[in-house]
Amino acid sequence: MANNTTHTIEYQSLSKTLLILLFLTFVTITIASVHLGAFTLAVALLIACVKSFIVLSNFMHLKYESLLLRILVGMVFVLFALIVAITFIDYAFR
Amino acid sequence: MSNVSANSEYVSYLDHHGKYKGIMSWIMATDHKRIALLYMYSIMTFFIIGVVLGIMMKLEMLTPGETIMKAKMYNSVFTLHGILMIFMVVIPGLSAVFGNFFLPIHIGAKDVSFPKLNRFSWWIFVVGSIMAVLSQVLKDGPPDTGWTFYAPYSTTTSSNVIMATAAAFVLGFSSILTGLNFIVTIHQLRAPGMKFFNMPLFPWALYATAWIQLLATPVIGITLLMLIAERAFHIGFFDPALGGDPLLFQHLFWIYSHPAVYVMMLPAMGVITEIIPTFCQRQIYGYKAVAVSSLAIAGVGFLVWGHHMYTSGMSDTARWFFSLLTFIVAVPSAIKVFNWITTMYKGSIDVKPPFLYALAFIFLFIIGGTTGLLLGSVATNVQVHDTAFVVAHFHYIIFGGMGFAFFAAIHYWLPKMYGRMYDFKMANIGLVINFIGFNLLYFPQFVIGIQGMPRRYFDYPAKFQPAQLVSSIGGFILVTGLIIMIYTLVKGARKGAPAPANPWRGSTLEWQIPSPPSVENFDEEPVIKENPYDYK
Amino acid sequence: MSQHTAHIEEHRDDEASKLGMWLFIFTELLLFGGLFLVYSIFRMQYPVEFRECSLELSVTIGAINTVVLLFSSMTVAMSMTAIQKNDMKKALLYIGVTLFCAAIFLVNKYFEWSGKFHHGLYPGSELMKLLDRGHHLYFSLYFFMTGLHALHIIIGMTLLFVCFFKMKKQSIHSQDYVLLENSALYWHLVDLIWIFLFPLMYLIS
Amino acid sequence: MFSKASNFVYGVDSAFLIITGISVFFLVVLTALMIYFVIKYNRKNGKPAQQIKDNMALEITWIAIPMIIVLYMFYIGWKGFIPMRVVPEDAIEITAEGSMWKFKFEYPGNKIADTLVVPIDRSILINLKSVDVLHGFSVPAFRIKEDMVPNKPNYSWFTAGELGDYDIYCTVYCGLNHSNMLGVIRVVTQQEYDKWLLTLHEKLKDSPQGMKILEKNGCIACHSLDGSKVVGPSFKGIYGSKRKVSTSGSEREITVDDAYITKSIVDPGADVVVGYPAGLMQPYKSLSESDLKLINEYLKGLK
Ligand code: HEA
Ligand code: HEA
Ligand code: CUA
Ligand SMILES: [Cu+2]
């Protein structure tokens, strides 16, 4: 039966993940005060994406889940990105 | 085929009470079959109210000017008619009734994955429905925004918009939970040996539907929350007087509501895909194409919402983009139609009521679908957008399509659900009257739509009267047919002759168990065939 | 693939529960997705106003809350590890820490919001009505998004509380921890949303 | 074959005919096939069903052919539409303003008319505006339709090719009297048009400031100035008169003063005049203090 199949992640690995996340947070904040023009938003979003990827794969155990689930999660994000992009086809070309 | 009397353990799900007695044994039921019936009875109730409202509109349309009601009343009537029919009848319709009943059986399971959640979905469906009814009677008066709740009218009118939108929110939540339950059920509970590609096609359709319910509904949820906040706190997302953008509301609304039309349609297509092979005694033609086209419709269907907004002042780039995608999403529907008709080729066709309903469905669906193409093309949309043409399009497709599919389904599965048979002759008479009435009711709407008759018009120029008259007459014929049909079905379900386990010689799993099914559906583990439509 | 040996009532399928939770998380993502869509469109239209408004928010409070949430995300994951290792004491401790972090987050939020309220800045207030379009929209979005997020924090806390007591009662243990796992997943989702909210609301330069 | 009412009729109608033609073709062929199969392969004929294997080539064909057909449909639809968005340089510019249940047309030089009169064979650009909620500007005979969105400019244009009167409908649902929101386009010769323009006086210029604001916000659609009852109470002699109003359900009598008028405009639901439905009039929050003052002043003078 498909019970208790979740992979166990060691404490150390979790705390390492936290350190990386904290570091990335630090980077976002410092970069925000540097003026990069239009890139600021892009960089902030990029870092946020990296962070959420780390949370998803480590904290949420996605790294160890079935391929199917990983694909589904990916598709949800792609769908959302498509919806935003398509809405912008209207707003960007007004 | 299991023999009913020989099996001493057999208890029909209709007789098995569980912990509770009487009505509680229904309200507290977790059995997917009982929940399906609960849904059916509640949906039927709302459907009948909706039909009455529809007929009231037709009476009002008999003559220009005031016929039986005032403009304010008319506006509330079509609003309630739309909310009721869309959110409470056709969106839950097929998936919550027949999906609940037959999905677990089709995949060889005893129940859905989360039976309690399933019961909870029905409860909040009821709560949402009660809220919708309350919105009609509370102090500020029934909402008069149309089912689309377009801002800024919906943010400024003094009627009960908050209650109505909250009701739609709750109903959406119910829809999400049903979808969630079905996806998990299909992933986890398929009988050993049943791969995705030897699932029957009705579960396939439900699977695609469930993904739409799951992923599109939250968007309308948040949109309605924003609308409520807009009214309560003037947060100004949509109201131009506060700096908001009414077009943004339309985008958000249709991001959900276009995919939602496929929530209505995909299960209907699934039903037809079950019926045709059974009555032709032939395996479905192009199994894989039909299965995959459901997913394709669901997927691409997410990206075409803008075709409701061609004239709203959207950018020209967006107009062609949405038009192009709209046309692409029509192709998988066409594939299904071709496959159904090819399945009849060299079959052994048994013309029984369910099959006749399926044929009527195909005919009406083609009309509804191809008029959708006229709407999807930008130039012609400009002419017929927001006219009676659109009204005719969606009535053809929603209830010529989804409605007739529902009727087909009920004629197909009633013997299984109640273990009794209905009168074929009466059913056929009902069908013919329905079909004639339906076309009389809605075909004239295409004509006056092309001539410019706008929709949601309480009053109209006298030149449209002849067509409106024909249409109103059609409405009455349709209702007559409907009454005959319901009478036949109710009589069959209560007093009909006992039905055999497999009256139509179907090949899918529900026909291998007794009618009505036992509480646990299967006494022994079902045997899974390579091809669910194996008639050799 | 699963089997059908057990009777329905006793049927237990952790895999199914987990998949169900993931699907629910998908709906939550799209729920917030709608708001992020609104945000991105208004930000595109009023970039200057949005920047001006974001200066009104305290990056320090935002950063503290980010750290607190990330940390709590780790502790709840550690609580999972502990329960898998059958170390109930540690598991309870980590859940406790997580709940404590959540409380800090809410207290912070409370001070942040009440500061705004104090200045007469809240949805529907007179001051809000006087603001011009861009500023008005920014603060509406700010209250709506962080408010909805705070609501999710409260739901997550409730779930974790339930887990806490079930663990005490030993009805969650090393052989049956799917409820904890799902609550943890939900908690991570709350964190995930904040990861986007923080730069988009506080760090517009 | 096609009417010459406007320059778009050809593009739209040819797209319409082609798409309808293809659709009818499919409808007829598929229905005929269904009926034929039902008769030919009826179980009564006693022949057993033949199990036919899937045929990849056939399936690809019937994916590809509809694909080509729909792409073609898209193309003609788009081609018929493009001209609607490309306005000629020399177009006469007229502003159409929708307000609850009335169209109003503003000609160059601040001249206002209730009927849209246009010269034949000239390009007319209609700027679309709305003062309250969404409205639609639709002229079926011309095959044009665009929405009027508050705070967001939109436009439509046409060249009329035949003299005559044509209906204008409001197609976007806009509340109680949506179905009464009708208008007329009168297509006339250039001479007649010029003559007509002269008769059109500059309403706005010589009317007082307060009147302009009432005009601009579409108040006149519901409130008459001459004592006649339209949708709302007339403004004639309103100031200082007594009114029965219902305030959150209970009736009371008040005397109309500045505060009451201002409140009636900003929050009409607070005191509803007895005999009129609540909620008909929308709150006008966008009016500035000075606008409200001007309205008050103007209403004072309306004896
Ligand atoms: C069940 C519901 C349902 C379904 C399935 C559809 C299906 C389709 N709809 Fe419809 N639609 C509605 C319900 C539905 N619609 C509703 C409720 C509204 C109004 C909402 C409101 O404003 O209140 C609406 C409005 C609507 C509009 C906006 C109208 C307007 O307001 O201006 C458009 C525009 O593109 C459209 C297009 C389509 C298309 C292209 C399809 C396609 O999916 C159809 C595909 C099917 C076929 C094409 C037929 C089968 C194929 C053949 C027979 C083969 C031959 C065909 C080819 C060669 C391609 N619909
Ligand atoms: C499912 C959707 C549905 C159904 C079944 C109906 C049924 C009917 N509708 Fe309609 N209608 C809408 C959805 C539906 N409607 C919507 C969304 C609008 C737009 C509202 C708006 O503008 O905001 C609308 C608007 C609308 C108008 C236009 C109002 C206007 O623009 O001025 C009119 C006018 O006469 C009308 C008439 C009718 C009539 C006479 C019936 C019926 O009386 C006919 C009788 C029906 C049948 C005989 C069979 C149908 C069966 C089924 C659909 C499935 C059965 C399912 C179960 C039993 C579970 N409807
Ligand atoms: Cu104005 Cu409808
Ligand atoms: Cu659509």
Side-chain angles (χ1 to χ4, degrees):
Chain A
M1 182 124 236
N3 289 333
N4 298 333
T5 51
T6 309
H7 181 89
T8 310
I9 306 179
E10 287 306 320
Y11 297 120
Q12 256 180 358
S13 144
L14 289 171
S15 42
K16 253 188 231 150
T17 311
L18 178 69
L19 284 182
I20 300 174
L21 287 169
L22 289 178
F23 172 71
L24 286 174
T25 311
F26 176 72
V27 173
T28 337
I29 298 175
T30 33
I31 283 197
S33 51
V34 190
H35 290 279
L36 290 169
F39 285 110
T40 327
L41 180 64
V43 173
L45 281 181
L46 189 75
I47 298 181
C49 289
V50 173
K51 277 167 81 180
S52 48
F53 182 78
I54 295 173
V55 171
L56 280 165
S57 52
N58 290 3
F59 284 168
M60 295 171 92
H61 294 221
L62 209 52
K63 217 157 84 187
Y64 311 99
E65 296 288 356
S66 63
L67 181 65
L68 176 82
L69 187 56
R70 278 184 283 163
I71 292 177
L72 292 183
V73 174
M75 287 204 325
V76 170
F77 281 94
V78 170
L79 176 72
F80 176 63
L82 275 176
I83 289 177
V84 174
I86 292 177
T87 315
F88 268 84
I89 293 183
D90 176 9
Y91 282 87
F93 294 94
R94 283 260 176 92
Chain B
M1 215 173 297
S2 19
N3 189 329
V4 178
S5 51
N7 190 337
S8 53
E9 272 178 53
Y10 167 84
V11 183
S12 147
Y13 79 102
L14 290 169
D15 301 328
H16 178 88
H17 291 293
K19 266 188 278 183
Y20 302 90
K21 286 251 159 59
I23 187 140
M24 287 306 276
S25 76
W26 285 92
I27 295 175
M28 300 300 294
T30 52
D31 181 3
H32 65 104
K33 299 181 285 299
R34 286 197 164 209
I35 292 173
L37 291 191
L38 286 174
Y39 267 114
M40 187 160 87
Y41 300 143
S42 27
I43 288 173
M44 258 310 188
T45 314
F46 301 129
F47 174 64
I48 289 168
I49 301 174
V51 168
V52 170
L53 292 170
I55 284 300
M56 277 165 68
M57 280 191 279
K58 289 285 43 140
L59 276 175
E60 174 54 44
M61 291 286 102
L62 262 176
T63 61
E66 186 181 323
T67 312
I68 59 163
M69 57 176 110
K70 291 215 168 8
K72 192 164 174 59
M73 169 104 170
Y74 184 81
N75 294 345
S76 325
V77 167
F78 72 68
T79 304
L80 180 62
H81 173 77
I83 294 177
L84 221 73
M85 286 299 195
I86 297 279
F87 293 113
M88 285 146 78
V89 177
V90 282
I91 285 186
L94 281 165
S95 60
V97 178
F98 297 104
N100 251 328
F101 203 108
F102 290 104
L103 170 73
I105 304 184
H106 267 160
I107 61 173
K110 294 189 163 150
D111 206 325
V112 292
S113 274
F114 310 116
K116 288 202 181 116
L117 189 70
N118 203 8
R119 176 179 63 183
F120 182 66
S121 309
W122 181 72
W123 284 352
I124 55 179
F125 174 75
V126 173
V127 171
S129 309
I130 291 173
M131 287 166 71
V133 173
L134 275 183
S135 77
Q136 300 302 308
V137 293
L138 287 186
K139 179 174 133 273
D140 293 331
D144 58 347
T145 57
W147 81 281
T148 47
F149 299 117
Y150 270 13
Y153 186 71
S154 59
T155 62
T156 47
T157 174
S158 67
S159 58
N160 258 323
V161 175
I162 291 190
M163 192 49 131
T165 42
F169 181 86
V170 174
L171 291 168
F173 204 56
S174 160
S175 176
I176 289 178
L177 293 181
T178 306
L180 187 154
N181 219 335
F182 284 2
I183 295 179
V184 177
T185 308
I186 291 175
H187 274 290
Q188 298 298 123
L189 293 187
R190 272 168 292 128
M194 181 181 272
K195 299 208 195 62
F196 258 87
F197 278 105
N198 37 43
M199 240 173 17
L201 288 162
F202 185 52
W204 260 106
L206 288 171
Y207 185 69
T209 310
W211 276 108
I212 306 179
Q213 289 177 301
L214 195 75
L215 297 181
T217 321
V219 180
I220 190 116
I222 193 72
T223 311
L224 295 177
L225 280 186
M226 284 188 257
L227 185 61
I228 292 172
E230 179 102 27
R231 285 184 68 95
F233 306 115
H234 305 290
I235 56 170
F237 292 160
F238 306 132
D239 188 351
L242 297 165
D245 180 354
L247 259 66
L248 187 58
F249 178 84
Q250 297 179 22
H251 274 297
L252 288 164
F253 183 84
W254 292 114
I255 286 175
Y256 164 72
S257 296
H258 182 80
V261 308
Y262 296 119
V263 172
M264 315 164 193
M265 208 57 220
L266 286 172
M269 294 166 154
V271 168
I272 302 304
T273 318
E274 290 299 317
I275 291 177
I276 289 186
T278 301
F279 289 88
C280 298
Q281 292 292 303
R282 245 207 65 178
Q283 75 191 53
I284 183 86
Y285 187 82
Y287 171 91
K288 274 202 178 139
V290 176
V292 173
S293 64
S294 292
L295 292 181
I297 293 176
V300 185
F302 264 104
L303 312 176
V304 307
W305 71 84
H307 65 208
H308 297 270
M309 304 167 58
Y310 288 144
T311 68
S312 65
M314 199 165 59
S315 80
D316 296 344
T317 320
R319 297 187 207 207
W320 74 253
F321 180 83
F322 283 121
S323 176
L324 182 62
L325 282 184
T326 300
F327 277 107
I328 289 174
V329 83
V331 174
S333 302
I335 295 172
K336 287 195 191 237
V337 174
F338 297 146
N339 280 312
W340 292 329
I341 294 181
T342 317
T343 305
M344 297 175 202
Y345 177 63
K346 295 203 171 162
S348 160
I349 301 178
D350 190 14
V351 191
K352 291 269 162 57
F355 185 71
L356 277 177
Y357 268 107
L359 293 185
F361 163 91
I362 296 178
F363 178 81
L364 299 173
F365 175 67
I366 296 175
I367 297 184
T370 49
T371 50
L373 298 174
L374 279 168
L375 289 166
S377 144
V378 200
T380 49
N381 179 281
V382 169
Q383 188 189 348
V384 289
H385 167 70
D386 263 348
T387 65
F389 191 91
V390 178
V391 176
H393 156 69
F394 67 69
H395 281 98
Y396 258 90
I397 209 159
I398 298 189
F399 94 60
M402 141 77 195
F404 274 65
F406 191 96
F407 301 156
I410 216 173
H411 284 88
Y412 182 53
W413 279 317
L414 185 122
K416 180 57 61 187
M417 295 165 86
Y418 292 95
R420 291 180 186 279
M421 202 41 118
Y422 51 88
D423 182 350
F424 288 167
K425 203 160 156 207
M426 284 294 279
N428 285 337
I429 292 173
L431 164 83
V432 171
I433 298 178
N434 274 342
F435 185 76
I436 295 171
F438 179 87
N439 285 295
L440 272 183
L441 172 55
Y442 291 114
F443 203 82
Q445 308 266 4
F446 282 128
V447 180
I448 55 175
I450 295 170
Q451 293 166 355
M453 166 80 201
R455 65 189 282 203
R456 296 172 173 177
Y457 258 34
F458 158 75
D459 191 3
Y460 55 88
K463 64 177 172 191
F464 297 125
Q465 214 208 330
Q468 295 281 17
L469 180 69
V470 175
S471 170
S472 297
I473 294 173
F476 282 99
I477 300 181
L478 184 54
V479 168
T480 319
L482 200 62
I483 293 172
I484 296 179
M485 184 194 81
I486 292 182
Y487 172 77
T488 314
L489 289 173
V490 171
K491 200 175 129 202
R494 298 187 57 204
K495 303 206 192 85
N502 191 355
W504 323 115
R505 295 209 271 147
S507 70
T508 36
L509 284 176
E510 79 270 33
W511 303 114
Q512 320 308 326
I513 56 175
S515 310
S518 65
V519 190
E520 303 224 319
N521 299 343
F522 301 99
D523 295 329
E524 56 229 64
E525 206 137 86
V527 188
I528 305 307
K529 288 181 277 187
E530 277 284 298
N531 174 351
Y533 304 101
D534 189 0
Y535 288 95
K536 265 168 228 146
Chain C
M1 220 61 15
S2 46
Q3 303 155 6
H4 296 261
T5 41
H7 185 266
I8 317 169
E9 319 296 311
E10 302 138 22
H11 183 83
R12 175 177 152 218
D13 186 350
D14 289 356
E15 195 112 319
S17 313
K18 208 161 73 185
L19 181 58
M21 193 64 207
W22 272 103
L23 296 180
F24 191 70
I25 285 175
F26 293 170
T27 71
E28 293 277 12
L29 284 174
L30 276 137
L31 188 82
F32 274 94
L35 276 173
F36 279 114
L37 177 59
V38 173
Y39 171 91
S40 54
I41 279 164
F42 286 141
R43 172 154 178 188
M44 184 187 80
Q45 290 175 344
Y46 303 102
V48 181
E49 287 86 343
F50 269 46
R51 196 181 62 225
E52 282 164 13
C53 290
S54 87
L55 296 178
E56 295 281 309
L57 303 188
S58 154
V59 177
T60 325
I61 293 192
I64 291 176
N65 267 350
T66 310
V67 173
V68 166
L69 267 195
L70 286 174
F71 185 75
S72 72
S73 233
M74 178 192 72
T75 51
V76 84
M78 285 185 164
S79 163
M80 263 289 291
T81 308
I83 205 134
Q84 282 172 331
K85 295 192 167 178
N86 204 3
D87 187 347
M88 187 56 88
K89 247 206 195 125
K90 251 192 183 156
L92 280 171
L93 175 73
Y94 282 127
I95 285 269
V97 174
T98 312
L99 283 168
F100 182 68
C101 288
I104 294 182
F105 182 94
L106 283 182
V107 169
N108 257 339
K109 213 43 324 128
Y110 170 77
F111 282 121
E112 206 184 353
W113 271 41
S114 58
K116 297 273 168 308
F117 278 40
H118 205 71
H119 292 109
L121 211 53
Y122 52 88
S125 73
E126 291 304 314
L127 183 63
M128 285 280 274
K129 278 186 195 147
L130 294 178
L131 296 176
D132 65 29
R133 296 180 71 168
H135 296 97
H136 188 136
L137 284 169
Y138 177 87
F139 281 112
S140 293
L141 275 166
Y142 164 76
F143 283 116
F144 203 102
M145 293 177 92
T146 56
L148 195 65
H149 180 259
L151 183 70
H152 280 75
I153 295 258
I154 293 170
I155 299 172
M157 279 176 86
T158 319
L159 283 175
L160 290 176
F161 258 117
V162 171
C163 289
F164 188 84
F165 286 110
K166 289 215 164 178
M167 278 152 76
K168 277 216 141 147
K169 277 191 0 215
Q170 292 288 337
S171 61
I172 294 180
H173 49 77
S174 64
Q175 291 312 306
D176 183 0
Y177 50 74
V178 70
L179 183 63
L180 176 63
E181 189 172 2
N182 282 344
S183 310
L185 280 178
Y186 194 83
W187 192 253
H188 295 308
L189 164 82
V190 174
D191 186 23
L192 212 59
I193 291 163
W194 186 258
I195 287 180
F196 285 92
L197 269 182
F198 174 58
L200 290 182
M201 280 295 168
Y202 293 76
L203 303 174
I204 311 178
S205 67
Chain D
M1 168 174 192
F2 298 115
S3 109
K4 282 201 278 302
S6 89
N7 54 326
F8 303 125
V9 175
Y10 176 76
V12 171
D13 285 13
S14 53
F16 213 111
L17 283 180
I18 293 171
I19 299 177
T20 313
I22 298 174
S23 302
V24 170
F25 170 77
F26 272 99
L27 178 68
V28 169
V29 170
L30 295 174
T31 310
L33 270 178
M34 278 193 307
I35 296 174
Y36 175 71
F37 288 163
V38 167
I39 296 169
K40 175 96 193 273
Y41 304 113
N42 204 300
R43 194 167 294 173
K44 290 197 190 109
N45 299 350
K47 271 203 228 113
Q50 277 184 39
Q51 306 300 324
I52 294 169
K53 279 265 147 55
D54 296 359
N55 180 338
M56 199 61 164
L58 182 60
E59 280 182 57
I60 289 177
T61 329
W62 73 37
I63 295 173
I65 291 180
M67 197 55 140
I68 295 166
I69 295 178
V70 293
L71 289 179
Y72 174 65
M73 288 175 173
F74 160 71
Y75 170 72
I76 48 169
W78 182 241
K79 213 181 60 180
F81 177 72
I82 299 172
M84 296 189 196
R85 305 307 286 167
V86 190
V87 190
E89 291 283 310
D90 64 345
I92 303 176
E93 210 170 324
I94 300 172
T95 300
E97 190 183 87
S99 59
M100 268 174 163
W101 320 320
K102 202 167 143 84
F103 290 110
K104 209 171 61 188
F105 304 99
E106 199 180 318
Y107 282 80
N110 268 341
K111 293 177 180 164
I112 301 220
D114 289 337
T115 315
L116 183 57
V117 178
V118 296
I120 190 168
D121 289 334
R122 285 286 302 273
S123 310
I124 318 282
L125 167 63
I126 313 270
N127 287 314
L128 301 171
K129 285 201 317 199
S130 162
V131 293
D132 38 38
V133 297
L134 299 172
H135 298 280
F137 178 79
S138 157
V139 187
F142 290 1
R143 314 288 190 255
I144 57 174
K145 181 180 290 140
E146 277 291 327
D147 293 2
M148 302 165 133
V149 186
N151 261 338
K152 183 180 173 303
N154 197 1
Y155 66 90
S156 184
W157 79 277
F158 60 86
T159 309
E162 270 167 9
L163 299 175
D165 285 2
Y166 301 93
D167 290 333
I168 307 174
Y169 297 110
C170 170
T171 43
V172 180
Y173 176 67
C174 53
L176 183 75
N177 284 340
H178 164 58
S179 61
N180 287 353
M181 190 161 163
L182 310 171
V184 174
I185 293 192
R186 176 162 304 146
V187 181
V188 296
T189 58
Q190 184 71 41
Q191 293 96 308
E192 272 180 79
Y193 174 70
D194 294 337
K195 235 187 333 189
W196 178 82
L197 265 190
L198 291 178
T199 65
L200 201 63
H201 44 274
E202 295 182 29
K203 268 195 188 154
L204 278 187
K205 258 218 188 107
D206 33 73
S207 54
Q209 285 261 301
M211 179 59 200
K212 277 190 205 166
I213 296 163
L214 292 183
E215 277 263 311
K216 214 177 109 221
N217 289 289
C219 315
I220 308 303
C222 300
H223 299 283
S224 77
L225 304 176
D226 57 3
S228 61
K229 182 179 159 182
V230 196
V231 179
S234 172
F235 282 155
K236 189 178 177 196
I238 177 176
Y239 201 86
S241 68
K242 291 210 170 11
R243 284 268 182 287
K244 268 222 178 88
V245 296
S246 92
T247 311
S248 41
S250 59
E251 271 182 32
R252 63 194 181 108
E253 197 171 69
I254 47 95
T255 312
V256 176
D257 56 10
D258 285 29
Y260 168 76
I261 289 183
T262 308
K263 198 168 168 206
S264 294
I265 298 170
V266 187
D267 185 11
D271 298 316
V272 181
V273 185
V274 171
Y276 293 89
L280 247 185
M281 178 174 161
Q282 313 294 313
Y284 285 78
K285 284 177 230 119
S286 53
L287 288 171
S288 68
E289 291 281 318
S290 60
D291 283 356
L292 290 170
K293 230 192 217 130
L294 286 167
I295 293 179
N296 265 320
E297 232 131 75
Y298 179 72
L299 292 185
K300 258 179 226 173
L302 267 185
K303 284 284 171 316

